[in-house]
C-alpha cells in the first residue's frame, strides 16, 4: 500500500488514503489520464474489478512482471473492454449465486481510451450497454490514439493536428467535429451518464461513486489532458483541464434517467481562444478558424442548456 | 445411467455441454453451429441449467466475454463457425496465452469468399497456430463424448488451455444419429467443478494480460508451446478414464484395417466414416487399403502418426482446406514433416477434397485409392491436387 505524503493535510475527508493505482508506473509527466485513473480507483474502492482496453493506461501500468494495480485487473485487447467486462460481470453474478465467491457486491468497471471507446470499441460498448450489464464504463478521452503516437480518433476535436490528420498548407488538421459519445450513451437509455474531468477531482469522484451504485450500465466520459499529445507543458495539465470546462468546450454534467443536470456551471464562459492558445496541436489555427470553433462551442453549450432547462433557450435562439 | 437417444448432433452437443454445467455462455449465431447455442439458451430458459447466457453483438465480443468470464473463474463455453471464428481471430491466440480454459465447439464451415455456408475445414486451419488444444469428432457419439472430455482436459491444473472441438458443418451438425447420452450423475462424477488457478476478485488481487516486452515475450511463447505439448499426457489420461467409465475408446490417431495395408488414407473429421466404407469396398476387390483417422490436431501426435503408417507404401493425406500458394493442405504438411526424418516411410501424397460443401461420396475415395495405386508406380512429383475440379 502506498500512502500519499501529507494526505491528512490536503484531503482528509474527501477520500480514501489507500492508493489502488500505485506510483512508479510509466505515464508521461503530467499525464491527465493517469491522474484520472488514480482518482477513479479511490472513488471505487476495493470491491472492484477493472477491465482495461489496450492503450496508454494499460501499457504504462502493467509492464510484466510489474503492475501498478492494487485492484483485480484484466486486459485482453484494444476493442473489447466492454465485452470482457460483460463476461466478468456475468461470471461474478453466477459465481455469487452459486455460492462460489463471497456474497457481496463487486463492481465491474471497464476503462478505455477514446480510441477504445468512440472508434474500435464502439460496437462492444453499444452491445454491453444495450444488454444492460451491471458495468460502469469510463472513457478516458485524451482526444487521440496517444499510445501509438497521437493519431486522429473520432474524439479528436475539429482543428487539432494529429499525426494522421496533420495541419499543413492544404489541411487544418482534423476537419470534422468530435463525436458526441455522451449523447450516444444517453440514447442507449443508460440510466447514469456523466461527463467529468480530472481537473475537478471532487466532481469526478462523486460521479464515479454515483455510477458505481447504479444497478445496470452506467457511463462516464472523463476528459483527460495529455500534455504529450496536446503539446502543452506537463505542468499545465490541470490548468488546461480547467480551461476546457471553463470555456464550455467540455461542460460538466450528468444525465440521470434522461434528466440533465449541470454539475459545475461557470457564471461566464471564458473565450475558447484561451484554451486553444495553450496547446501546440491548435497552433496553426487562424483567428477565423478559432471563431468557427467558438461559434460551435456556443451553439453546443446552448443545446445542452436546453436539455438542462427545457426548451427555453431554443425560443431565445428563434427570437 | 446413459440414455440411448436419437437426436440432431448439434442439439446433442448442446445437451452434452449443459451436462458440464457451464456457468457463462457467450455466443453469436452463424450457420451451421447455430443450433448449439440456440439449444443451450433453450436449456437455460427451461431452468435446466443455471448459467448466464450472454447474447453478444458479435463473435469478437463472444470470445472476449468468455475471456472475462473465465478470468473471473467461471466455466465458460462458446460455439461458432467460419466467419464467426475469423471474426474472433484477434482474441483466439490471447485465450491460451492467458491460460483460460474456454471450450469452443466449431461447426466447421468454409471461409468466405466466395461466401459459402457449407462444410470444409478452412475456418479452423486459419486459426491453426493460435495455441489451442484442437480435436475433431467423426460422428455424433464422439461429439457428445468429446464435448464433456473437453472441459476436463481444458481445466486440468497442468493444462489450463482452451479446447476447440471441431465437427463438420451439416455433415455432423445437422444430422440425426443414435447416441448414448451420459446422465448428470455420471458427468458430475467424471468432471469436477472448475478450480481456476487465479481469478478476478478483490479477495485475491491479480493482474491478468499484462504487457510483455522483448525480455519476456520469448519465454512466454516457449512456456505456451511446452504446456500445449505437455497437455498430451492429460488428454490421454482423460481418454483412458473415459474408456473405463463409459466404455468408448479415444486415441489421438485411430487406424482402420491398417495392419497389412499398402495404401493408407488419412482423414480428419467426418469424412473418415465414408472413407471407411471405401476401404471395405477396396478390400473386397483385394486391394490392401487402410485408413487412419486423425482425432487430435493440436498438440500434433507425431509419434502416433509415425507408428500408424508403418509398413504402408502410399499414404494419401486428405485435406479439407487449402494453404494457398503453400506446400499443400495443412494436414499434409504436418504429416509429411512428421515422416521426413524416418528411415522408412511411405510415399506421401495429398488430395484436397470436399471444399465448400462439395460432396465426397464413397466412389471418390475409391478413385483416390486407385490414384494412389498408380502413384505407387509413378511417384508423381506434384505435391498436392485439389480433387475433382470441374473442367480440369
Ligand atoms: C485491433 C488493434 N488495432 C490497433 C491497435 C494499436 N493500438 C493500440 S493502442 C491504440 C490507440 C489507443 O488509443 P486510445 O484508445 O485513445 O487510448 P490512449 O492511448 O490514447 O489512452 C492503437 C491504435 C491494437 N492494439 N489493436
Ligand atoms: S501519451 Fe498522454 S495519455 Fe499517454 S501516458 Fe503520456 S501523457 Fe498520458
Ligand atoms: Mg486516446
Amino acid at each position: 500500500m502506498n500512502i500519499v505524503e501529507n494526505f491528512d493535510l490536503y484531503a482528509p475527508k474527501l477520500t480514501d488514503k489507500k492508493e489502488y493505482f500505485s506510483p512508479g508506473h510509466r505515464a508521461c509527466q503530467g499525464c491527465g489520464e493517469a491522474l484520472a485513473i488514480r482518482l477513479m480507483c479511490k472513488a471505487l474502492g476495493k470491491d472492484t474489478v477493472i477491465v482495461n482496453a489496450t492503450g496508454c493506461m494499460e501499457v504504462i501500468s502493467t509492464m510484466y512482471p510489474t503492475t501498478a494495480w492494487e485492484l483485480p485487473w484484466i486486459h485482453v485487447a484494444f476493442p473489447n473492454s466492454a465485452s470482457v467486462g460483460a463476461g466478468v460481470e456475468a461470471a461474478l453474478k453466477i459465481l455469487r449465486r452459486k455460492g462460489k465467491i463471497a456474497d457481496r457486491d463487486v463492481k465491474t468497471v471497464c476503462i478505455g481510451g477514446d480510441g477504445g471507446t468512440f472508434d474500435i470499441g464502439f460496437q462492444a460498448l453499444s452491445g454491453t450497454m444495450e444488454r444492460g450489464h451491471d458495468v460502469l464504463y469510463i472513457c478516458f478521452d485524451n482526444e487521440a490514439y496517444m499510445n501509438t503516437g497521437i493519431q486522429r480518433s473520432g474524439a479528436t476535436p475539429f482543428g487539432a493536428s494529429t499525426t494522421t490528420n496533420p495541419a499543413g498548407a492544404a489541411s487544418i488538421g482534423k476537419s470534422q467535429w468530435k463525436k458526441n459519445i455522451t449523447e450516444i450513451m444517453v440514447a442507449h437509455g443508460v440510466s447514469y451518464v456523466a461527463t467529468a474531468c480530472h481537473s475537478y477531482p471532487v466532481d469526478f469522484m462523486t460521479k464515479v461513486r454515483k455510477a458505481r451504485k447504479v444497478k445496470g450500465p452506467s457511463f462516464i466520459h472523463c476528459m483527460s489532458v495529455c500534455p504529450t499529445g496536446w503539446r502543452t507543458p506537463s505542468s499545465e495539465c490541470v490548468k488546461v483541464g480547467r480551461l476546457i470546462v471553463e470555456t464550455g468546450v467540455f461542460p460538466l454534467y450528468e444525465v440521470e434517467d434522461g434528466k440533465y443536470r449541470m454539475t459545475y456551471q461557470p457564471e461566464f464562459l471564458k473565450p475558447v481562444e484561451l484554451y486553444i492558445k495553450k496547446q501546440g496541436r491548435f497552433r496553426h489555427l487562424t483567428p477565423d478558424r478559432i471563431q468557427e470553433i467558438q461559434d460551435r462551442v456556443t451553439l453546443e453549450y446552448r443545446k445542452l442548456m436546453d436539455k438542462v432547462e427545457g426548451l427555453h433557450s431554443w425560443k431565445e435562439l428563434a427570437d | 445411467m446413459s440414455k440411448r437417444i436419437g437426436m440432431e448432433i448439434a442439439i446433442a452437443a448442446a445437451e452434452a455441454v449443459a451436462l458440464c454445467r457451464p456457468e457463462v455462455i457467450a455466443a453469436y449465431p452463424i450457420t451451421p453451429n447455430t443450433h448449439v447455442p440456440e439449444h443451450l439458451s433453450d436449456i437455460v430458459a427451461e431452468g435446466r441449467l443455471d448459467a448466464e447466457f450472454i447474447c453478444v453483438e458479435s463473435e469478437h465480443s463472444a470470445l472476449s466475454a468468455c475471456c472475462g468470464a473465465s478470468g473471473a473463474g467461471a466455466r465458460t463455453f462458446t460455439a461458432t463457425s467460419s466467419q464467426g471464428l475469423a471474426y474472433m481471430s484477434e482474441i483466439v491466440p490471447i485465450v491460451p496465452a492467458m491460460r483460460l480454459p474456454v471450450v469452443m465447439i466449431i461447426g466447421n464451415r468454409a471461409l468466405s469468399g466466395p461466401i459459402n455456408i457449407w462444410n470444409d475445414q478452412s475456418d479452423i486451419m486459419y486459426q491453426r497456430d493460435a495455441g489451442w488444444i484442437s480435436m475433431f469428432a467423426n460422428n455424433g457419439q464422439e461429439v457428445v463424448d468429446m464435448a464433456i472430455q473437453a472441459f476436463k482436459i481444458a481445466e486440468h491444473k497442468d493444462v489450463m488451455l482452451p479446447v476447440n472441438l471441431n465437427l463438420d458443418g451439416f455433415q455432423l451438425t445437422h444430422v440425426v444419429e443414435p447416441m448414448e447420452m451420459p446422465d448428470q450423475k455420471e458427468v458430475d462424477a467424471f468432471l469436477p467443478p472448475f478450480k481456476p488457478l487465479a481469478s478476478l476478485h478483490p479477495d485475491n488481487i491479480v493482474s491478468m494480460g499484462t504487457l510483455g516486452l522483448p525480455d519476456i515475450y520469448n519465454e512466454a511463447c516457449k512456456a505456451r508451446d511446452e504446456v500445449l505439448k505437455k497437455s498430451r499426457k492429460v488428454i490421454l489420461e482423460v481418454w483412458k478414464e473415459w474408456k473405463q467409465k463409459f466404455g468408448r475408446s479415444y486415441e489421438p490417431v485411430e487406424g482402420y484395417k491398417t495392419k497389412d495395408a499398402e495404401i493408407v488414407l488419412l482423414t480428419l473429421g467426418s469424412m473418415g466414416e465414408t472413407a471407411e466404407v471405401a476401404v471395405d469396398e477396396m478390400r473386397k476387390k483385394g486391394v490392401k487399403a487402410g485408413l487412419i483417422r486423425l482425432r487430435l490436431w493440436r498438440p500434433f501426435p507425431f509419434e502416433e502418426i509415425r507408428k500408424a503408417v508403418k509398413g504402408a507404401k502410399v499414404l494419401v493425406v486428405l485435406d479439407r482446406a487449402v494453404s494457398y500458394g503453400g506446400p499443400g493442405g495443412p494436414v499434409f504438411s504436418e504429416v509429411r514433416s512428421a515422416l521426413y526424418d524416418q528411415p522408412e516411410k511411405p510415399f506421401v501424397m495429398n488430395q484436397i477434397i470436399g471444399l465448400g460443401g462439395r460432396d465426397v461420396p464413397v466412389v471418390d475415395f475409391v478413385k483416390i485409392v486407385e490414384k494412389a495405386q498408380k502413384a505407387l508406380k509413378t511417384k508423381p512429383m506434384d505435391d498436392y491436387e485439389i480433387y475433382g475440379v470441374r473442367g480440369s
Side-chain angles (χ1 to χ4, degrees):
Chain A
M1 176 161 155
N2 299 285
I3 310 276
V4 176
E5 274 176 56
N6 295 330
F7 185 89
D8 294 330
L9 194 66
Y10 297 128
K13 288 197 189 123
L14 295 176
T15 184
D16 202 347
K17 258 188 178 178
K18 166 92 179 125
E19 295 291 341
Y20 297 94
F21 188 66
S22 312
H25 56 69
R26 301 178 187 214
C28 313
Q29 246 182 24
C31 171
E33 227 180 316
L35 169 57
I37 289 210
R38 180 176 157 229
L39 297 169
M40 167 195 82
C41 289
K42 278 178 171 288
L44 289 170
K46 101 179 211 311
D47 280 338
T48 307
V49 176
I50 303 288
V51 182
N52 203 161
T54 310
C56 270
M57 291 305 102
E58 164 261 334
V59 166
I60 58 98
S61 67
T62 64
M63 221 167 276
Y64 183 88
T66 65
T67 179
W69 295 91
E70 296 189 41
L71 290 171
W73 178 94
I74 184 172
H75 157 259
V76 177
F78 183 26
N80 65 353
S81 74
S83 8
V84 175
V88 170
E89 182 256 1
L92 293 175
K93 200 150 84 186
I94 183 156
L95 294 175
R96 186 176 172 190
R97 191 158 79 224
K98 284 184 154 187
K100 289 188 173 179
I101 55 172
D103 184 21
R104 64 172 199 273
D105 278 327
V106 172
K107 188 81 177 185
T108 305
V109 179
C110 304
I111 61 176
D114 48 296
T117 306
F118 287 59
D119 294 348
I120 202 167
F122 188 62
Q123 170 182 311
L125 171 67
S126 177
T128 290
M129 294 289 139
E130 178 270 327
R131 290 190 301 272
H133 289 277
D134 185 11
V135 158
L136 163 57
Y137 191 105
I138 307 185
C139 170
F140 295 96
D141 177 8
N142 53 18
E143 305 198 311
Y145 303 150
M146 295 309 178
N147 183 48
T148 39
I150 325 174
Q151 295 90 13
R152 171 209 195 273
S153 82
T156 303
F158 178 87
S161 181
T162 68
T163 55
T164 49
N165 220 325
S171 161
I172 58 145
K174 188 173 171 189
S175 58
Q176 301 83 19
W177 299 95
K178 186 182 175 93
K179 193 194 271 189
N180 192 334
I181 195 77
T182 312
E183 284 304 312
I184 295 169
M185 288 298 103
V186 172
H188 275 68
V190 172
S191 62
Y192 185 80
V193 179
T195 62
C197 177
H198 51 70
S199 299
Y200 296 80
V202 177
D203 178 79
F204 175 45
M205 289 166 79
T206 306
K207 286 168 177 168
V208 171
R209 286 193 197 98
K210 225 168 173 176
R212 192 192 192 292
K213 282 204 196 103
V214 170
K215 285 265 159 276
S218 50
F219 181 89
I220 298 176
H221 179 187
C222 181
M223 183 54 68
S224 311
V225 176
C226 166
T228 308
W230 295 16
R231 312 271 188 235
T232 70
S234 26
S235 57
E236 298 272 277
C237 169
V238 172
K239 217 177 266 170
V240 172
R242 294 195 80 89
L243 272 175
I244 196 169
V245 173
E246 287 167 350
T247 53
V249 172
F250 191 78
L252 298 180
Y253 65 101
E254 62 186 10
V255 188
E256 270 181 283
D257 295 320
K259 193 156 183 284
Y260 286 71
R261 187 176 81 83
M262 300 301 287
T263 59
Y264 171 72
Q265 204 170 357
E267 207 171 325
F268 302 100
L269 294 183
K270 290 185 176 161
V272 168
E273 192 175 4
L274 287 183
Y275 167 69
I276 284 178
K277 288 284 183 207
K278 282 247 178 244
Q279 304 168 58
R281 61 176 172 159
F282 296 122
R283 189 175 21 226
H284 56 285
L285 293 183
T286 55
D288 28 317
R289 284 304 196 182
I290 296 175
Q291 187 55 47
E292 203 179 332
I293 295 172
Q294 177 67 67
D295 292 347
R296 172 86 178 199
V297 167
T298 308
L299 177 70
E300 290 299 321
Y301 198 82
R302 283 200 184 149
K303 284 204 238 164
L304 175 64
M305 295 315 288
D306 287 343
K307 288 178 188 144
V308 175
E309 295 167 3
L311 290 178
H312 178 69
S313 38
W314 278 116
K315 257 195 227 140
E316 276 180 8
L317 266 183
D319 284 347
Chain B
M1 261 265 295
S2 295
K3 212 167 71 191
R4 194 103 188 115
I5 52 160
M7 208 181 251
E8 184 192 294
I9 294 172
I11 306 283
E15 288 287 341
V17 168
L19 287 171
C20 299
R21 304 183 191 274
E23 287 154 328
V24 175
I25 302 163
Y28 191 81
I30 180 168
T31 304
N33 94 94
T34 311
H35 291 180
V36 179
E38 261 180 16
H39 191 64
L40 272 165
S41 67
D42 283 343
I43 296 171
V44 173
E46 288 160 11
R48 286 201 280 137
L49 171 68
D50 187 15
E52 289 294 316
F53 191 102
I54 312 179
C55 293
V56 278
E57 80 301 324
S58 74
E59 290 88 353
H60 192 284
S61 285
L63 196 54
S64 300
C66 286
C67 287
S70 188
R75 179 169 288 163
T76 305
F77 176 79
T78 187
T80 193
S81 296
S82 178
Q83 301 312 107
L85 184 59
Y87 203 49
M88 283 179 180
S89 70
E90 186 200 9
I91 311 303
V92 171
I94 302 176
V95 190
M98 292 179 77
R99 303 288 297 276
L100 299 172
V102 173
V103 172
M104 165 150 67
I105 282 187
I106 304 171
N108 299 112
R109 156 179 161 181
L111 281 178
S112 297
I115 187 165
N116 171 299
I117 62 165
W118 292 274
N119 170 231
D120 68 30
Q121 294 163 351
S122 48
D123 53 2
I124 179 61
M125 292 307 162
Y126 194 44
Q127 310 295 332
R128 182 186 63 180
D129 299 332
W132 290 53
I133 293 174
S134 186
M135 33 183 96
F136 282 76
N138 294 296
N139 57 43
Q141 186 63 59
E142 293 184 1
V143 170
V144 166
D145 294 353
M146 291 173 81
I148 301 166
Q149 296 159 4
F151 286 98
K152 182 144 179 168
I153 294 165
E155 293 169 2
H156 191 285
K157 67 173 183 14
D158 298 337
V159 178
M160 288 290 169
L161 286 174
V163 174
N164 60 57
L165 169 58
N166 294 270
L167 44 147
D168 287 313
F170 295 110
Q171 261 93 323
L172 291 182
T173 54
H174 286 57
V175 167
V176 176
E177 277 186 9
M179 286 163 262
E180 298 246 348
M181 184 64 73
D183 72 15
Q184 188 66 63
K185 248 206 208 139
E186 289 171 321
V187 175
D188 288 345
F190 173 78
L191 180 66
F194 173 36
K195 276 208 197 77
L197 296 178
S199 59
L200 294 165
H201 194 275
D203 289 347
N204 193 0
I205 295 167
V206 63
S207 290
M208 292 186 182
T210 57
L211 176 71
L213 298 187
D215 67 336
I216 197 69
Y217 189 88
N218 205 27
E219 286 65 26
C221 294
K222 170 77 177 160
R224 209 163 138 183
D225 189 42
E226 296 243 299
V227 73
L228 182 54
K229 282 185 179 155
K230 280 193 192 145
S231 70
R232 189 193 134 82
K233 183 165 168 277
V234 174
I235 297 168
L236 296 182
E237 276 168 22
V238 167
W239 282 344
K240 200 164 147 204
E241 186 189 346
W242 189 267
K243 169 109 201 287
Q244 283 159 0
K245 292 196 164 144
F246 297 93
R248 291 180 290 276
S249 81
Y250 287 83
E251 298 289 339
V253 164
E254 287 158 4
Y256 178 72
K257 300 195 176 167
T258 46
K259 239 188 197 148
D260 61 339
E262 290 181 349
I263 295 169
V264 174
L265 302 177
L266 189 147
T267 61
L268 186 62
S270 65
M271 64 180 160
E273 303 244 309
T274 323
E276 215 175 280
V277 181
V279 165
D280 288 343
E281 283 196 10
M282 295 309 283
R283 285 269 171 184
K284 268 188 229 151
K285 288 188 199 160
V287 181
K288 286 188 178 166
L291 170 70
I292 295 170
R293 278 188 304 235
L294 183 56
R295 175 181 309 287
L296 187 59
W297 173 236
R298 283 293 186 276
F300 191 79
F302 288 96
E303 270 316 309
E304 286 88 347
I305 289 278
R306 287 175 193 139
K307 230 158 105 198
V309 302
K310 275 236 164 82
K313 292 194 174 133
V314 187
L315 174 66
V316 190
V317 179
L318 297 165
D319 262 290
R320 303 199 66 177
V322 185
S323 172
Y324 296 102
V331 183
F332 173 64
S333 35
E334 243 70 336
V335 169
R336 195 161 59 164
S337 93
L339 299 178
Y340 182 76
D341 284 336
Q342 301 301 297
E344 269 175 56
K345 57 192 166 220
F347 176 71
V348 192
M349 53 188 275
N350 186 204
Q351 297 288 305
I352 298 174
I353 60 172
L355 297 179
R358 182 68 62 87
D359 193 27
V360 190
V362 175
V363 48
D364 283 330
F365 288 98
V366 171
K367 277 189 198 154
I368 287 169
V369 173
E370 286 163 1
K371 268 184 186 227
Q373 282 178 302
K374 225 191 265 165
L376 194 51
K377 294 181 201 124
T378 56
K379 302 253 158 89
M381 290 308 290
D382 299 348
D383 278 327
Y384 65 98
E385 179 190 342
I386 299 180
Y387 176 84
V389 174
R390 287 205 316 271
S392 71

